[in-house]
Amino acid sequence: MHKTTFNCLGLTKRIVQTLKKQQYAFPTPIQEKAIPLLIERNDLLGIAQTGTGKTAAFGLPILHHLSLEEKRPVAKSTRALILAPTRELAVQIGDALKVYGRDIPLRHTVVFGGVGQNAQVTAMRRGVDILVATPGRLLDLFNQKHIRLDFVSYFVLDEADRMLDMGFIHDVQKITALLPTERQTLLFSATMPPGVIRLANKILHNPKEVSVAPTATPVKTVEQKVIFIDREKKRSCLVKLLQEATFDRVIVFTRTKHKAGKLAEQLTKSGIKSDSLHGDKSQSARQKALDLFKSGKVSVLVATDIASRGIDVDDVTHVINYELPMVPEDYVHRIGRTARAGASGSALSLCDKSEIPHLTKIEQLIKTKIEILEGERPQSDPPERSGKISKKKRKKRKKSFKKIVNF
Ligand code: AMP
């Protein structure tokens, strides 16, 4: 079968050579679809999540355009602006640009909150070609006149759905209003809730739409299993699993920030080196946890869904769902943290009775029945024959359902 190569997408020779050095043999689907449209200067609505190669999908065309234009950045300004919801994602995009732009003499920097601003102010003094920023810090620096936004001709809004979830909509609107209207705008989002659609309609001009749908298709190299277990036995089961030698680098997911912090503490007390990553931690504490995990000093990271977005750690051997997510798409995001870049990985879900409805929704989304590793799947209610069920029976069922939910 004929496969598109990076040569066919219209990128400069220099960029194609860099990708070769990087051993990127073929573009990913989002890259194949988006890059030619972006080189033709279309606005773009990209429906794709982290892990699909979307950073290169928007980063490469920006590097392409900027390197061909004979312009230098004006002091304190930037020619391209990439907005990301979290510091981790911003840093990750900055790192990717370093790699993709290593053979091109362009300046870029990253600004984010939670740390002192002096180094960021200095980095912006002479102006940059590409600025990656989180919204709050960008506005802070703009208001203090350390950054000007009137030279932006490429604007990327990354992970728009998370941006809205995290309450950045007003900041995003303010920033957008400060940009020149003559610009190329790209919006990426894993999901398209109404808020994102409204925002896209406001900021994009005749956009082309590209969508890759890994949301419902977990990477094939992830082995998925489920353990049916009582809620109160989950912790001892987790400890046992983590003591096995193959559980080398593990992300454990919980539903709440509180639970993530508590579980990491409990695991540490049981002699398992772990840390947590959640939104109640300061930026520097989150970065520290991530660095410890990356360097292998802690082997277990307990995380919530939002905090885990954009974690780009290779060689994660296992993802454990200590609690199943309420939103089935989050399951796919979670297990995508393992088996990256072609490696294999395992995802294990500890499912108690009350979580069966979530498990069912997940299985419907991924169109797969997850293999059982231990325990037995509790019987679900027989299908209702409408109208034929007596009032008394219905009452009884309601009661037993309540019992399951409160389990
Ligand atoms: P992203 O979705 O941008 O976070 O990218 C996910 C991972 O895929 C990163 O580790 C990239 O370095 C890698 N990647 C991106 N594009 C390609 C490609 N065409 N071939 C191989 N790896 C890639």
Side-chain angles (χ1 to χ4, degrees):
M1 199 178 72
H2 170 75
K3 243 185 157 180
T4 309
T5 65
F6 278 108
N7 284 313
C8 319
L9 300 182
L11 293 162
T12 61
K13 265 197 185 139
R14 197 181 264 193
I15 294 180
V16 174
Q17 272 161 8
T18 307
L19 295 171
K20 224 178 240 162
K21 280 188 220 159
Q22 205 50 37
Q23 297 184 332
Y24 283 12
F26 296 101
T28 65
I30 186 90
Q31 291 163 2
E32 187 179 335
K33 290 182 193 168
I35 292 173
L37 295 170
L38 293 172
I39 286 188
E40 285 170 13
R41 298 188 180 278
N42 290 288
D43 277 9
L44 186 92
L45 174 63
I47 305 165
Q49 64 185 65
T50 299
T52 53
K54 72 179 158 72
T55 317
F58 65 73
L60 298 174
I62 288 179
L63 289 165
H64 169 96
H65 286 310
L66 292 176
S67 65
L68 291 178
E69 291 165 8
E70 288 183 357
K71 284 186 191 161
R72 314 245 335 127
V74 172
K76 299 185 183 180
S77 76
T78 180
R79 299 167 65 199
L81 173 66
I82 300 168
L83 272 191
T86 62
R87 166 193 169 139
E88 288 82 8
L89 184 63
V91 169
Q92 194 183 308
I93 296 171
D95 289 345
L97 291 174
K98 249 184 236 161
V99 173
Y100 303 143
R102 55 185 252 189
D103 301 318
I104 304 173
L106 293 171
R107 282 205 298 271
H108 46 84
T109 195
V110 183
V111 304
F112 45 78
V115 292
Q117 67 172 45
N118 289 350
Q120 298 175 0
V121 170
T122 309
M124 284 306 296
R125 201 162 282 151
R126 289 161 57 218
V128 292
D129 295 289
I130 309 177
L131 173 63
V132 187
T134 53
R137 176 55 61 93
L138 178 69
L139 278 174
D140 267 0
L141 295 178
F142 175 85
N143 289 333
Q144 297 170 60
K145 301 203 172 8
H146 292 306
I147 287 181
R148 49 190 292 186
L149 294 171
D150 47 346
F151 284 90
V152 172
S153 38
Y154 304 94
F155 174 45
V156 182
L157 190 64
D158 198 11
E159 300 211 345
D161 48 357
R162 291 289 151 175
M163 205 77 99
L164 302 201
D165 279 354
M166 292 172 77
F168 287 140
I169 181 71
H170 294 297
D171 285 352
V172 170
Q173 281 167 342
K174 270 187 222 157
I175 292 164
T176 316
L178 295 167
L179 303 177
T181 45
E182 195 69 23
R183 59 167 201 256
Q184 188 179 10
T185 307
L186 288 61
L187 184 150
F188 283 88
S189 195
T191 56
M192 289 300 287
V196 175
I197 295 172
R198 274 196 299 276
L199 185 64
N201 284 334
K202 239 188 226 164
I203 68 172
L204 298 172
H205 182 68
N206 288 337
K208 300 281 183 200
E209 191 178 314
V210 297
S211 132
V212 288
T215 341
T217 21
V219 210
K220 296 229 164 45
T221 43
V222 183
E223 185 189 54
Q224 302 172 61
K225 298 218 167 121
V226 58
I227 294 179
F228 291 107
I229 189 166
D230 290 342
R231 179 179 294 184
E232 57 272 23
K233 291 187 187 144
K234 278 191 179 187
R235 185 143 56 89
S236 58
C237 171
L238 179 67
V239 171
K240 240 195 241 155
L241 287 170
L242 293 174
Q243 279 163 344
E244 280 183 30
T246 51
F247 285 66
D248 199 26
R249 188 175 282 194
V250 186
I251 303 181
V252 176
F253 280 97
T254 61
R255 239 184 257 155
T256 62
K257 305 177 218 179
H258 175 73
K259 186 80 196 172
K262 203 168 135 201
L263 188 59
E265 273 172 29
Q266 289 166 333
L267 290 176
T268 306
K269 272 189 200 144
S270 312
I272 294 160
K273 284 183 192 144
S274 42
D275 206 338
S276 60
L277 191 72
H278 57 77
D280 276 353
K281 279 194 156 179
S282 68
Q283 290 279 23
S284 57
R286 278 156 69 176
Q287 191 61 43
K288 197 174 148 214
L290 208 49
D291 290 343
L292 287 172
F293 185 59
K294 273 187 181 173
S295 68
K297 286 192 181 117
V298 306
S299 52
V300 179
L301 194 62
V302 188
T304 55
D305 289 294
I306 289 193
S308 78
R309 293 286 296 191
I311 296 181
D312 188 20
V313 181
D314 287 336
D315 307 327
V316 171
T317 55
H318 295 78
V319 163
I320 299 181
N321 295 308
Y322 189 75
E323 292 166 324
L324 286 179
M326 311 269 243
V327 181
E329 281 82 3
D330 281 341
Y331 174 83
V332 183
H333 290 164
R334 287 179 178 191
I335 71 168
R337 303 292 111 211
T338 181
R340 289 173 76 83
S344 61
S346 295
L348 203 52
S349 299
L350 306 188
C351 180
D352 68 41
K353 250 189 202 169
S354 72
E355 294 172 307
I356 299 287
H358 303 314
L359 182 68
T360 308
K361 271 202 265 165
I362 289 164
E363 291 181 328
Q364 279 164 356
L365 178 75
I366 63 173
K367 299 189 179 77
T368 309
K369 202 109 183 131
I370 300 173
E371 193 186 320
I372 301 172
L373 183 67
E374 258 177 62
E376 247 176 73
R377 191 187 189 102
Q379 286 296 309
S380 51
D381 279 355
E384 295 220 346
R385 271 165 288 149
S386 57
K388 291 201 173 153
I389 187 164
S390 70
K391 254 189 183 171
K392 208 172 152 194
K393 257 193 181 162
R394 200 173 291 153
K395 233 180 174 175
K396 207 173 153 195
R397 264 201 201 161
K398 233 179 179 173
K399 243 184 177 171
S400 64
F401 177 67
K402 254 190 177 161
K403 247 193 203 159
I404 293 176
V405 170
N406 296 329
F407 178 79

